[in-house]
Amino acid sequence: MSTTLSPHLQPDSGRRRTTGRLKRANGQLTALIAAVESGADCRNVVTQLSAVRGALDKAGFELISTAMRDCLTEPVDILAAGGVQPGLPGQKATLEEIRTLFLRLT
């Protein structure tokens, strides 16, 4: 049994979106550090801090979303044959592992 993912569901696509979000957060964090070092207004600093936090949260949710799509599109015959062993490097995450990771973000 073979599964074909549409281009917007490809793991590389999710990786690119996550990387983009992390780079955005990195830029926001750099600006935040500069604002704190320069003694910027507290309101500005808190606003920038909120933006960094939001960008990191979205990156985490993107990672989890990609993992969920990947796990849910895994061929059933591979799962039934014991082809996935939770926690091993290079193995797909189980739904329970994904749930646990998701809850860590909230």
Side-chain angles (χ1 to χ4, degrees), residues 24-38 40 44-45 48 52:
R24 188 174 307 119
N26 186 39
Q28 291 169 328
L29 183 57
T30 299
L32 174 61
I33 291 168
V36 170
E37 289 177 341
S38 70
N44 182 34
V45 170
Q48 288 181 346
V52 170

Side-chain angles (χ1 to χ4, degrees), residues 48-63:
Q48 288 181 346
L49 182 60
S50 177
V52 170
R53 183 175 174 184
L56 289 174
D57 285 346
K58 287 178 182 177
F61 291 135
E62 183 64 47
L63 281 169

Side-chain angles (χ1 to χ4, degrees), residues 53-93:
R53 183 175 174 184
L56 289 174
D57 285 346
K58 287 178 182 177
F61 291 135
E62 183 64 47
L63 281 169
I64 299 299
S65 172
T66 299
M68 286 174 56
R69 282 191 304 255
D70 197 30
C71 185
L72 293 175
T73 57
E74 181 68 24
V76 176
D77 53 346
I78 291 174
L79 293 174
V84 175
Q85 297 177 14
L88 293 179
Q91 294 290 328
K92 295 180 184 286

Side-chain angles (χ1 to χ4, degrees), residues 9-32:
L9 294 180
Q10 294 293 334
D12 287 343
S13 177
R15 189 175 301 123
R16 281 193 304 273
R17 285 191 303 271
T18 300
T19 301
R21 290 185 186 281
L22 290 172
K23 287 179 180 180
R24 188 174 307 119
N26 186 39
Q28 291 169 328
L29 183 57
T30 299
L32 174 61

